[in-house]
Amino acid sequence: MKDNRPHVFVLATGGTIATRGSSPSETTGYPERQGKKEGVGLLAEDLIASIPGIEERVRLSAESIFNVSSSSIEEGDLLRLAKRVNALLKEDVYGIVITHGTDTLEETAFFLHLTVKSDKPVVVVGAMLPATAFSADGPLNLYHAILTAAKPESRGKGVLVCMCGRLLSARDAAKTSTFRMDAFKCMEYGALGHVVGGDVRYYYAPVRPHTASSEFYVEKLDALPRVEIVYTWQGCTKELLKAAVEGGADGIVCAGMGCGAIPPEPREYYRGLSKKPPLVRGTRVFSGYTAAHGATPDDVYGTIPAGDFTVQKARILLQLALTVTKDIKEIRAIFQKY
């Protein structure tokens, strides 16, 4: 008899969702019982076992590609993950769920949003509480993510973040709290949909290029351009920016003030450089849009406005942009496009 259940592949990478605390009440400060070594922390099969009955609705495969805290994920891990996802999506897989630590979940999801070359569903999910905690959120989040990956309406939506019942575009999802269960939100644009009672519902769809329509390819990449983030504050000097430049950064993102203003000393230092790595003006403000700014006009200083990207996402987009062009005008156009 033909099995009509959609085939969902669960890729585990570690994180709080795969962590055991020492007691049910330990919800913060739990040690990092994970590492690069296989078998440390809960593996993909363990996570699936936490949601009994799910295989009545989907056919599951599972793999632990690595098992680390997301604060320990490196760019080589991102490339490995993206290549594995692209390889799996060429097979008999309806959708993919990636379990991930929440510290850098938004960065991994956005990287995949720009580098996955398929319109099949890819859903990134994590947990705010370890697996051993009272009312651990990991099993329900994973259940929702698997249902989302199996839903026909999830195709073509780009990479999704599924947390606390919300379905968020990876382009805009951000962790907004260090401890609240509903930490993940899209501050400016809101959720694409939600999962309630096992029912996946969408109300909106992303319109900016992503996944199969992006121009970024990772298959032949062994490394990514080095892009640093430099913070600003009242009266800040040029020293951090200078260190990034002299340290050989391929590009720099500045967490500027307000609408991306760079203070006088660092901006004049950058302006005076004979050879400049591309500099993207982002903002240290929690949300909003970095547009043209009178204090740091882009045509004078040769800078690139980040638009509505957070500095950590602007860094990822600049890294990928530098794999296709070094031209400042073309990089500006990429930031406007995505």
Side-chain angles (χ1 to χ4, degrees), residues 253-274:
V253 176
C254 184
M257 301 173 176
C259 197
I262 302 174
E265 186 173 320
R267 75 177 182 238
E268 292 307 322
Y269 164 77
Y270 182 76
R271 184 181 186 183
L273 290 173
S274 57

PDB file of all heavy atoms in Angstrom, residues 253-274:
ATOM      1  N   VAL A 253      29.978  46.180   9.179  1.00  0.00           N
ATOM      2  CA  VAL A 253      28.651  46.710   9.462  1.00  0.00           C
ATOM      3  C   VAL A 253      28.771  47.561  10.717  1.00  0.00           C
ATOM      4  O   VAL A 253      29.329  47.116  11.725  1.00  0.00           O
ATOM      5  CB  VAL A 253      27.610  45.596   9.667  1.00  0.00           C
ATOM      6  CG1 VAL A 253      26.257  46.194  10.056  1.00  0.00           C
ATOM      7  CG2 VAL A 253      27.479  44.749   8.409  1.00  0.00           C
ATOM      8  N   CYS A 254      28.266  48.780  10.665  1.00  0.00           N
ATOM      9  CA  CYS A 254      28.326  49.682  11.806  1.00  0.00           C
ATOM     10  C   CYS A 254      26.948  49.785  12.453  1.00  0.00           C
ATOM     11  O   CYS A 254      25.968  50.070  11.767  1.00  0.00           O
ATOM     12  CB  CYS A 254      28.799  51.066  11.362  1.00  0.00           C
ATOM     13  SG  CYS A 254      29.024  52.227  12.718  1.00  0.00           S
ATOM     14  N   ALA A 255      26.897  49.503  13.746  1.00  0.00           N
ATOM     15  CA  ALA A 255      25.658  49.727  14.500  1.00  0.00           C
ATOM     16  C   ALA A 255      25.612  51.200  14.858  1.00  0.00           C
ATOM     17  O   ALA A 255      26.084  51.630  15.914  1.00  0.00           O
ATOM     18  CB  ALA A 255      25.630  48.849  15.744  1.00  0.00           C
ATOM     19  N   GLY A 256      25.069  51.990  13.939  1.00  0.00           N
ATOM     20  CA  GLY A 256      25.062  53.437  14.107  1.00  0.00           C
ATOM     21  C   GLY A 256      23.956  53.909  15.024  1.00  0.00           C
ATOM     22  O   GLY A 256      23.176  53.139  15.573  1.00  0.00           O
ATOM     23  N   MET A 257      23.901  55.232  15.183  1.00  0.00           N
ATOM     24  CA  MET A 257      22.917  55.852  16.068  1.00  0.00           C
ATOM     25  C   MET A 257      21.677  56.255  15.285  1.00  0.00           C
ATOM     26  O   MET A 257      21.776  56.718  14.144  1.00  0.00           O
ATOM     27  CB  MET A 257      23.534  57.084  16.729  1.00  0.00           C
ATOM     28  CG  MET A 257      24.775  56.801  17.541  1.00  0.00           C
ATOM     29  SD  MET A 257      25.542  58.331  18.106  1.00  0.00           S
ATOM     30  CE  MET A 257      26.867  57.670  19.119  1.00  0.00           C
ATOM     31  N   GLY A 258      20.527  56.104  15.908  1.00  0.00           N
ATOM     32  CA  GLY A 258      19.292  56.531  15.249  1.00  0.00           C
ATOM     33  C   GLY A 258      19.150  55.896  13.886  1.00  0.00           C
ATOM     34  O   GLY A 258      19.143  54.674  13.745  1.00  0.00           O
ATOM     35  N   CYS A 259      19.076  56.718  12.868  1.00  0.00           N
ATOM     36  CA  CYS A 259      18.905  56.230  11.502  1.00  0.00           C
ATOM     37  C   CYS A 259      20.259  55.895  10.865  1.00  0.00           C
ATOM     38  O   CYS A 259      20.492  56.161   9.695  1.00  0.00           O
ATOM     39  CB  CYS A 259      18.164  57.267  10.670  1.00  0.00           C
ATOM     40  SG  CYS A 259      17.475  56.616   9.141  1.00  0.00           S
ATOM     41  N   GLY A 260      21.156  55.341  11.674  1.00  0.00           N
ATOM     42  CA  GLY A 260      22.434  54.886  11.142  1.00  0.00           C
ATOM     43  C   GLY A 260      23.535  55.919  11.135  1.00  0.00           C
ATOM     44  O   GLY A 260      24.517  55.766  10.403  1.00  0.00           O
ATOM     45  N   ALA A 261      23.427  56.976  11.953  1.00  0.00           N
ATOM     46  CA  ALA A 261      24.475  57.999  11.994  1.00  0.00           C
ATOM     47  C   ALA A 261      25.743  57.422  12.608  1.00  0.00           C
ATOM     48  O   ALA A 261      25.709  56.778  13.654  1.00  0.00           O
ATOM     49  CB  ALA A 261      24.006  59.207  12.802  1.00  0.00           C
ATOM     50  N   ILE A 262      26.872  57.676  11.940  1.00  0.00           N
ATOM     51  CA  ILE A 262      28.176  57.274  12.455  1.00  0.00           C
ATOM     52  C   ILE A 262      28.832  58.513  13.054  1.00  0.00           C
ATOM     53  O   ILE A 262      28.912  59.555  12.394  1.00  0.00           O
ATOM     54  CB  ILE A 262      29.048  56.673  11.340  1.00  0.00           C
ATOM     55  CG1 ILE A 262      28.339  55.458  10.711  1.00  0.00           C
ATOM     56  CG2 ILE A 262      30.412  56.264  11.882  1.00  0.00           C
ATOM     57  CD1 ILE A 262      29.057  54.886   9.500  1.00  0.00           C
ATOM     58  N   PRO A 263      29.305  58.468  14.288  1.00  0.00           N
ATOM     59  CA  PRO A 263      29.909  59.635  14.934  1.00  0.00           C
ATOM     60  C   PRO A 263      31.105  60.189  14.148  1.00  0.00           C
ATOM     61  O   PRO A 263      31.702  59.491  13.315  1.00  0.00           O
ATOM     62  CB  PRO A 263      30.323  59.108  16.309  1.00  0.00           C
ATOM     63  CG  PRO A 263      29.405  57.971  16.555  1.00  0.00           C
ATOM     64  CD  PRO A 263      29.203  57.328  15.221  1.00  0.00           C
ATOM     65  N   PRO A 264      31.468  61.454  14.407  1.00  0.00           N
ATOM     66  CA  PRO A 264      32.459  62.155  13.578  1.00  0.00           C
ATOM     67  C   PRO A 264      33.801  61.458  13.424  1.00  0.00           C
ATOM     68  O   PRO A 264      34.299  61.313  12.299  1.00  0.00           O
ATOM     69  CB  PRO A 264      32.608  63.506  14.293  1.00  0.00           C
ATOM     70  CG  PRO A 264      31.302  63.713  14.976  1.00  0.00           C
ATOM     71  CD  PRO A 264      30.853  62.351  15.399  1.00  0.00           C
ATOM     72  N   GLU A 265      34.429  61.029  14.530  1.00  0.00           N
ATOM     73  CA  GLU A 265      35.783  60.488  14.408  1.00  0.00           C
ATOM     74  C   GLU A 265      35.841  59.227  13.557  1.00  0.00           C
ATOM     75  O   GLU A 265      36.661  59.136  12.633  1.00  0.00           O
ATOM     76  CB  GLU A 265      36.400  60.252  15.788  1.00  0.00           C
ATOM     77  CG  GLU A 265      37.857  59.821  15.700  1.00  0.00           C
ATOM     78  CD  GLU A 265      38.546  59.737  17.050  1.00  0.00           C
ATOM     79  OE1 GLU A 265      38.304  60.618  17.906  1.00  0.00           O
ATOM     80  OE2 GLU A 265      39.329  58.786  17.243  1.00  0.00           O
ATOM     81  N   PRO A 266      34.999  58.217  13.814  1.00  0.00           N
ATOM     82  CA  PRO A 266      35.080  57.028  12.943  1.00  0.00           C
ATOM     83  C   PRO A 266      34.666  57.294  11.505  1.00  0.00           C
ATOM     84  O   PRO A 266      35.253  56.728  10.583  1.00  0.00           O
ATOM     85  CB  PRO A 266      34.145  56.021  13.631  1.00  0.00           C
ATOM     86  CG  PRO A 266      33.329  56.792  14.584  1.00  0.00           C
ATOM     87  CD  PRO A 266      34.111  57.990  14.961  1.00  0.00           C
ATOM     88  N   ARG A 267      33.671  58.157  11.287  1.00  0.00           N
ATOM     89  CA  ARG A 267      33.253  58.372   9.896  1.00  0.00           C
ATOM     90  C   ARG A 267      34.326  59.121   9.102  1.00  0.00           C
ATOM     91  O   ARG A 267      34.538  58.844   7.914  1.00  0.00           O
ATOM     92  CB  ARG A 267      31.900  59.080   9.836  1.00  0.00           C
ATOM     93  CG  ARG A 267      31.882  60.551  10.145  1.00  0.00           C
ATOM     94  CD  ARG A 267      30.482  61.117   9.969  1.00  0.00           C
ATOM     95  NE  ARG A 267      30.436  62.548  10.215  1.00  0.00           N
ATOM     96  CZ  ARG A 267      29.658  63.131  11.125  1.00  0.00           C
ATOM     97  NH1 ARG A 267      28.859  62.390  11.896  1.00  0.00           N
ATOM     98  NH2 ARG A 267      29.669  64.444  11.273  1.00  0.00           N
ATOM     99  N   GLU A 268      35.038  60.060   9.757  1.00  0.00           N
ATOM    100  CA  GLU A 268      36.092  60.773   9.043  1.00  0.00           C
ATOM    101  C   GLU A 268      37.305  59.871   8.816  1.00  0.00           C
ATOM    102  O   GLU A 268      37.989  59.985   7.794  1.00  0.00           O
ATOM    103  CB  GLU A 268      36.483  62.031   9.810  1.00  0.00           C
ATOM    104  CG  GLU A 268      35.388  63.102   9.853  1.00  0.00           C
ATOM    105  CD  GLU A 268      34.863  63.471   8.469  1.00  0.00           C
ATOM    106  OE1 GLU A 268      35.665  63.533   7.502  1.00  0.00           O
ATOM    107  OE2 GLU A 268      33.624  63.686   8.349  1.00  0.00           O
ATOM    108  N   TYR A 269      37.564  58.970   9.758  1.00  0.00           N
ATOM    109  CA  TYR A 269      38.623  57.982   9.549  1.00  0.00           C
ATOM    110  C   TYR A 269      38.307  57.139   8.318  1.00  0.00           C
ATOM    111  O   TYR A 269      39.177  56.933   7.452  1.00  0.00           O
ATOM    112  CB  TYR A 269      38.770  57.093  10.781  1.00  0.00           C
ATOM    113  CG  TYR A 269      39.547  55.833  10.520  1.00  0.00           C
ATOM    114  CD1 TYR A 269      40.941  55.860  10.422  1.00  0.00           C
ATOM    115  CD2 TYR A 269      38.900  54.609  10.347  1.00  0.00           C
ATOM    116  CE1 TYR A 269      41.664  54.706  10.150  1.00  0.00           C
ATOM    117  CE2 TYR A 269      39.612  53.453  10.087  1.00  0.00           C
ATOM    118  CZ  TYR A 269      40.989  53.502   9.991  1.00  0.00           C
ATOM    119  OH  TYR A 269      41.703  52.351   9.717  1.00  0.00           O
ATOM    120  N   TYR A 270      37.070  56.660   8.224  1.00  0.00           N
ATOM    121  CA  TYR A 270      36.696  55.819   7.089  1.00  0.00           C
ATOM    122  C   TYR A 270      36.757  56.608   5.783  1.00  0.00           C
ATOM    123  O   TYR A 270      37.250  56.118   4.765  1.00  0.00           O
ATOM    124  CB  TYR A 270      35.294  55.250   7.295  1.00  0.00           C
ATOM    125  CG  TYR A 270      34.855  54.320   6.190  1.00  0.00           C
ATOM    126  CD1 TYR A 270      35.349  53.027   6.101  1.00  0.00           C
ATOM    127  CD2 TYR A 270      33.952  54.745   5.211  1.00  0.00           C
ATOM    128  CE1 TYR A 270      34.966  52.167   5.080  1.00  0.00           C
ATOM    129  CE2 TYR A 270      33.550  53.899   4.191  1.00  0.00           C
ATOM    130  CZ  TYR A 270      34.061  52.607   4.122  1.00  0.00           C
ATOM    131  OH  TYR A 270      33.682  51.774   3.104  1.00  0.00           O
ATOM    132  N   ARG A 271      36.283  57.841   5.815  1.00  0.00           N
ATOM    133  CA  ARG A 271      36.290  58.678   4.618  1.00  0.00           C
ATOM    134  C   ARG A 271      37.707  58.877   4.091  1.00  0.00           C
ATOM    135  O   ARG A 271      37.932  58.938   2.877  1.00  0.00           O
ATOM    136  CB  ARG A 271      35.646  60.029   4.932  1.00  0.00           C
ATOM    137  CG  ARG A 271      35.512  60.972   3.741  1.00  0.00           C
ATOM    138  CD  ARG A 271      34.893  62.276   4.193  1.00  0.00           C
ATOM    139  NE  ARG A 271      34.623  63.169   3.067  1.00  0.00           N
ATOM    140  CZ  ARG A 271      34.140  64.389   3.194  1.00  0.00           C
ATOM    141  NH1 ARG A 271      33.875  64.870   4.404  1.00  0.00           N
ATOM    142  NH2 ARG A 271      33.909  65.143   2.130  1.00  0.00           N
ATOM    143  N   GLY A 272      38.687  58.956   4.991  1.00  0.00           N
ATOM    144  CA  GLY A 272      40.054  59.226   4.583  1.00  0.00           C
ATOM    145  C   GLY A 272      40.838  58.019   4.112  1.00  0.00           C
ATOM    146  O   GLY A 272      41.981  58.159   3.653  1.00  0.00           O
ATOM    147  N   LEU A 273      40.254  56.839   4.207  1.00  0.00           N
ATOM    148  CA  LEU A 273      40.965  55.639   3.778  1.00  0.00           C
ATOM    149  C   LEU A 273      41.115  55.601   2.265  1.00  0.00           C
ATOM    150  O   LEU A 273      40.169  55.909   1.520  1.00  0.00           O
ATOM    151  CB  LEU A 273      40.215  54.387   4.241  1.00  0.00           C
ATOM    152  CG  LEU A 273      40.205  54.091   5.741  1.00  0.00           C
ATOM    153  CD1 LEU A 273      39.273  52.922   6.029  1.00  0.00           C
ATOM    154  CD2 LEU A 273      41.613  53.794   6.253  1.00  0.00           C
ATOM    155  N   SER A 274      42.292  55.213   1.799  1.00  0.00           N
ATOM    156  CA  SER A 274      42.498  55.085   0.359  1.00  0.00           C
ATOM    157  C   SER A 274      41.897  53.785  -0.172  1.00  0.00           C
ATOM    158  O   SER A 274      41.424  53.720  -1.310  1.00  0.00           O
ATOM    159  CB  SER A 274      43.990  55.151   0.034  1.00  0.00           C
ATOM    160  OG  SER A 274      44.696  54.143   0.738  1.00  0.00           O
TER     161      SER A 274
END
